[in-house]
Amino acid sequence: MRTQVGIVGAGPAGLLLSHLLHLQGIESVIIEARSRKHIEERIRAGVLEQGTVDILTESGVGERLKREGLIHHGIELRFNRRGHRINMYELTGGKAITIYAQHEVVKDLVSARLAAGGRIVFEAGNVSVQGFGGSTPTIRFQSDGNHHELTCDFIAGCDGFHGVCRPSIPASALTAFDRTYPFAWLGILAQAPPSSDELIYAYHERGFALLSMRSPKISRLYIQVAPDENINNWPDDRIWQELHTRFATDGGWKLTEGPVIQKGITGMRSFVVEPMQYGRLYLAGDAAHIVPATGAKGLNLAVADVRMLAQAFADFYSSGRTRLLEQYSQTCLRRVWKAQRFSWWMTSMLHRFDTDSPFDQRRQIAELDYLTGSRAAMTSLAENYVGLPWD
Ligand code: RFL
Ligand code: PHB
């Protein structure tokens, strides 16, 4: 088998890259370890930056997003039992975020690729990448009980944080930057109408809590828990009780409960590998970097990477120029590090750290108090949250 760009992983990064390449007349094949059902049901992110919405729309996969996505102009920060709205729309000159689940983006992209005759190999076994240090990049995998070899001009490693592409690069060629946080998030999906029209990020002495949503009927809620927490210690009643406590206001705000339809625990980590390229292997999305979820940046960074990568491949195939490919890593990393900084800052400001002294806790409250009272500070949060301009 042969193609121009071999893509490992059918997450948002791999699927969107394949779609954008197709629009430029460039052929690709996606090799995915899991089933179509699995990737289309995996509960993950929900916040799309304005630029992410724009690229999905402009590339022709935004029809359902436009119909079903919930546009939000603001978010709320809640602390000391009071809410403070940040009007992002006004502060950024008319930018917003859209709530639309990541697995819906994945469904839209899978169906667009298949409708256009795109090739996605699902449930591929023993995927490995070779030859990218020289001129014959190859992806080997098993499918339907047979061994296959896909030769390509380039490989795009879009296989997420636990994929095979990054570890296949000689360790001496990469530098990793890593930070783990001393807490995790316990997240639920509940069949309950969202108790607020907009997202609420809450700082509380018992820990952070977040109210988000997926539709007018489904709430998505998170609480900060210990990093090694066992989900079996959290029956639904205990989760609701904790949510009521952390979101409580003096104004008597009410949290609506409903049946919990999914729950899970997610670790919080910052990670970047540099450079995001080795020979003819290009890393994109979570394969190259992950952020703690507080800034809602992971999916959006994956989209920003493949937007750049698709442009660089298009330039190479149309003109033979390699300049954009050579600059790919450097260009992406500037945005990646700004998103890392923002995600780290939101995480540090809003969570309780066991090691914090009473001084640190007073400082956190002062930071929230300053932020919600200063137009300059709110503008800084808003422009990062809706997404910084493309380079
Ligand atoms: P993905 O989505 O992990 O896709 C990688 C794909 O590669 C496949 N794969 C392999 N395929 C072949 N061979 C192998 N050896 C393979 N190993 C893995 C996997 O099966 C998978 O299909 O990476 P991608 O495309 O880079 O996308 C990144 C995003 O998924 C991620 O950054 C976000 O979900 C992070 N995130 C959020 N991001 C946001 O922008 N906004 C949010 O609101 C937000 N909330 C979240 C989040 C992540 C969360 N979790 C569960 C980690 C909330 C949560 C709870
Ligand atoms: C979500 O809706 O899953 C979500 C929203 C905002 C975040 C993280 C996750 O910061």
Side-chain angles (χ1 to χ4, degrees):
M1 229 195 290
R2 209 204 119 71
T3 193
Q4 290 177 295
V5 181
I7 299 174
V8 186
L15 288 163
L16 181 60
L17 177 63
S18 179
H19 174 65
L20 295 175
L21 292 177
H22 166 71
L23 297 180
Q24 301 278 351
I26 301 165
E27 206 186 85
S28 66
V29 176
I30 305 181
I31 310 297
E32 165 60 50
R34 312 301 295 253
S35 68
R36 178 175 180 183
K37 181 171 173 1
H38 180 89
I39 65 161
E40 290 190 343
E41 289 177 0
R42 195 165 41 194
I43 304 295
R44 290 253 181 112
V47 174
L48 308 186
E49 291 176 357
Q50 181 81 55
T52 299
V53 171
D54 292 345
I55 195 166
L56 293 170
T57 308
E58 285 158 17
S59 68
V61 286
E63 195 194 312
R64 204 160 61 91
L65 162 63
K66 182 160 190 249
R67 227 177 29 243
E68 297 175 18
L70 308 172
I71 297 174
H72 286 194
H73 287 179
I75 55 169
E76 181 180 323
L77 297 183
R78 191 172 282 189
F79 59 98
N80 283 349
R81 302 177 67 87
R82 275 192 59 204
H84 306 260
R85 180 166 192 260
I86 301 203
N87 187 338
M88 299 182 303
Y89 189 77
E90 194 223 329
L91 291 164
T92 60
K95 290 187 184 168
I97 52 151
T98 300
I99 306 296
Y100 188 68
Q102 175 169 325
H103 67 274
E104 304 295 349
V105 174
V106 164
K107 277 189 215 163
D108 296 343
L109 286 166
V110 168
S111 82
R113 284 315 294 124
L114 297 180
R119 279 191 291 170
I120 308 176
V121 178
F122 291 106
E123 299 180 73
N126 286 327
V127 179
S128 65
V129 289
Q130 292 86 19
F132 49 83
S135 56
T136 51
T138 312
I139 305 174
R140 294 202 184 116
F141 59 97
Q142 285 168 12
S143 176
D144 300 326
N146 297 313
H147 292 274
H148 300 269
E149 196 169 282
L150 175 67
T151 50
C152 22
D153 300 334
F154 300 98
I155 298 175
C158 302
D159 49 349
F161 187 64
H162 300 288
V164 292
C165 290
R166 190 182 67 252
S168 301
I169 298 174
S172 59
L174 298 178
T175 309
F177 302 85
D178 202 0
R179 175 188 289 257
T180 51
Y181 298 84
F183 40 75
W185 281 13
L186 189 161
I188 60 166
L189 266 187
Q191 252 162 1
S195 309
S196 160
D197 291 340
E198 295 178 340
L199 271 60
I200 304 175
Y201 289 80
Y203 172 88
H204 189 272
E205 61 189 27
R206 294 183 59 81
F208 170 75
L210 170 62
L211 181 152
S212 180
M213 62 207 68
R214 288 294 177 269
S215 73
K217 291 186 181 148
I218 304 283
S219 295
R220 177 81 167 138
L221 296 143
Y222 298 96
I223 46 173
Q224 173 185 351
V225 293
D228 52 357
E229 191 60 74
N230 182 342
I231 193 89
N232 296 323
N233 293 335
W234 287 87
D236 298 354
D237 281 356
R238 184 177 173 205
I239 299 174
W240 286 114
Q241 196 186 354
E242 201 61 41
L243 286 164
H244 282 293
T245 306
R246 297 189 192 184
F247 284 118
T249 66
D250 286 336
W253 183 84
K254 285 267 176 305
L255 175 69
T256 309
E257 295 189 17
V260 174
I261 47 182
Q262 194 262 354
K263 65 177 155 183
I265 292 186
T266 310
M268 289 282 129
R269 190 167 182 179
S270 306
F271 176 88
V272 182
V273 79
E274 292 185 6
M276 290 169 55
Q277 175 243 341
Y278 180 84
R280 289 173 172 250
L281 170 60
Y282 293 81
L283 301 176
D286 278 17
H289 41 72
I290 50 174
V291 283
T294 329
K297 287 282 165 261
L299 165 62
N300 295 295
L301 275 184
V303 166
D305 288 351
V306 298
R307 177 181 168 276
M308 275 312 303
L309 192 53
Q311 271 177 15
F313 283 139
D315 198 43
F316 171 77
Y317 281 111
S318 65
S319 70
R321 278 194 297 263
T322 55
R323 194 175 56 91
L324 292 184
L325 281 171
E326 283 155 17
Q327 290 174 349
Y328 167 73
S329 172
Q330 205 187 336
T331 310
C332 289
L333 283 167
R334 287 185 65 206
R335 186 180 190 84
V336 167
W337 276 109
K338 285 180 209 161
Q340 287 289 359
R341 184 212 64 84
F342 177 68
S343 304
W344 160 83
W345 171 71
M346 287 280 280
T347 304
S348 309
M349 179 172 65
L350 287 162
H351 290 74
R352 288 290 277 215
F353 291 71
D354 285 346
T355 48
D356 273 0
S357 64
F359 176 91
D360 295 311
Q361 289 156 10
R362 292 282 199 285
R363 179 186 45 75
Q364 273 179 315
I365 293 286
E367 179 152 23
L368 285 161
D369 198 11
Y370 163 65
L371 170 63
T372 52
S374 155
R375 190 176 171 90
M378 282 190 284
T379 305
S380 170
L381 185 154
E383 68 182 3
N384 279 278
Y385 197 86
V386 300
L388 293 171
W390 307 114
D391 262 335

